Amino acid sequence: MESRPIEIKPLFHYWPNSTALTFSGWGCNFLCPWCQNYELSWARRPLYERRVNPQELVETAVRAGDEGVCASFNEPATLFDYLIDVGLEARRRGLYATLVTNGYFTLKAVEALVEAGYDGWAVDIKGCPQASKRHPRVLPGVDHRIVYRNARRILDLGGHVEMIYLVVTGYNEECADWIIEKHLDTLGEDVPLHVNRYYPANKWRQPPTRLGVLLGIAEKARRAGINYVYVGNVGDPGLEVTRCPRCGRVLVARRGYRVVYWNLDYSGGKYRCPHCGHPIPIRGRYVPGKNWLPPWRL
Ligand code: SF4
């Protein structure tokens, strides 16, 4: 486990510039052949014997000065009971709780997690019906509509959701139209969409996603009406700025997973564009002055 910026999840509209103590177990209910964390997610037994109880984990976050905790790296669904205990303990200590997940839960499980305090969800959408038909041996049996059903339920329960579409060369580029349509129909225009570059990993050896493909999908999503579209994993801060959907002004800029420009008004419990007053959906509060260096740079 380690403290990591919230922007790395990526969550851009949730406690901006905060850090979360990020933890994992092992295993996954999917086996994506391109998984960057396959050493953890494909493992059949723990790689490390270190066990940390929920109280100890949250205490570590408090001591590190983190604003929250985050289950990530492998699929958090595999840690379900532990997650519930961590969420409750985090709430008791005044921290937020988040998940980076493939979103493949039962509704009952989603409800229990939100109830336990998980109000920030970075949800991956892996594919679409066309990709499943064309590649039946990749994620066999997965019904991608369930991910949207669950994301909708999280929103209805008052949670915050950001969707991540990792555009995997040779697998799901053709899913863009379906994903944009489902996003707008199920979640609405104000839920952020991250269009992210894939890099070869594990068993998937196709080349990294071409920048032109990512930019084309992002443009299509914006034109269709999604208000907050970001292009990630390409190292271009210009593709990670938040603009006001009404007047187009830049409100937030990010670099290296940190907020480097923040220009929003806050009143009545809401963030607004200071130029035209349009409400900007942000969960939690901006945490100023919190720089972060990856552990290997310290
Ligand atoms: S769902 Fe996530 S953790 Fe699981 S195999 Fe796929 S990329 Fe890896």
Side-chain angles (χ1 to χ4, degrees), residues 27-38 41-42 73-75 101-102 124 126 139:
C28 188
N29 53 349
F30 286 8
L31 290 176
C32 309
W34 51 82
C35 182
Q36 295 278 344
N37 296 325
Y38 65 94
S41 61
W42 287 48
F73 301 129
N74 73 318
E75 171 49 48
T101 175
N102 59 33
D124 287 328
K126 306 283 182 192
L139 302 179

Side-chain angles (χ1 to χ4, degrees), residues 151-194:
R152 181 66 251 169
R153 187 72 186 128
I154 295 160
L155 294 174
D156 290 342
L157 292 169
H160 172 83
V161 171
E162 300 191 27
M163 298 299 294
I164 298 109
Y165 171 17
L166 183 75
V167 185
V168 179
T169 310
Y171 175 63
N172 64 7
E173 300 109 313
E174 63 184 341
C175 294
D177 290 340
W178 186 85
I179 285 173
I180 292 167
E181 196 183 320
K182 288 297 276 183
H183 190 107
L184 284 165
D185 287 354
T186 319
L187 310 177
E189 61 191 20
D190 275 346
V191 168
L193 174 65
H194 298 262

Side-chain angles (χ1 to χ4, degrees), residues 145-265:
R145 294 170 304 175
I146 287 175
V147 177
Y148 285 101
R149 179 201 70 180
N150 289 350
R152 181 66 251 169
R153 187 72 186 128
I154 295 160
L155 294 174
D156 290 342
L157 292 169
H160 172 83
V161 171
E162 300 191 27
M163 298 299 294
I164 298 109
Y165 171 17
L166 183 75
V167 185
V168 179
T169 310
Y171 175 63
N172 64 7
E173 300 109 313
E174 63 184 341
C175 294
D177 290 340
W178 186 85
I179 285 173
I180 292 167
E181 196 183 320
K182 288 297 276 183
H183 190 107
L184 284 165
D185 287 354
T186 319
L187 310 177
E189 61 191 20
D190 275 346
V191 168
L193 174 65
H194 298 262
V195 179
N196 279 2
R197 173 177 269 171
Y198 133 95
Y199 287 94
N202 195 14
K203 294 180 183 303
W204 204 265
R205 306 318 302 177
Q206 298 267 4
T209 331
R210 284 187 296 114
L211 184 59
V213 171
L214 297 166
L215 296 178
I217 293 172
E219 186 55 25
K220 199 183 252 193
R222 283 190 201 103
R223 280 178 193 267
I226 300 177
N227 282 332
Y228 305 99
V229 181
Y230 304 101
V231 176
N233 291 351
V234 299
D236 182 347
L239 301 174
E240 296 185 335
V241 297
T242 301
R243 289 180 180 275
C244 174
R246 187 192 285 165
C247 71
R249 299 270 194 23
V250 172
L251 304 176
V252 186
R254 305 167 181 88
R255 182 185 287 270
Y257 306 117
R258 295 287 66 188
V259 172
V260 292
Y261 175 76
W262 180 265
N263 188 16
L264 283 169
D265 284 344

Side-chain angles (χ1 to χ4, degrees), residues 97-109:
T98 59
L99 296 174
V100 179
T101 175
N102 59 33
Y104 218 64
F105 293 87
T106 63
L107 277 178
K108 211 169 155 191

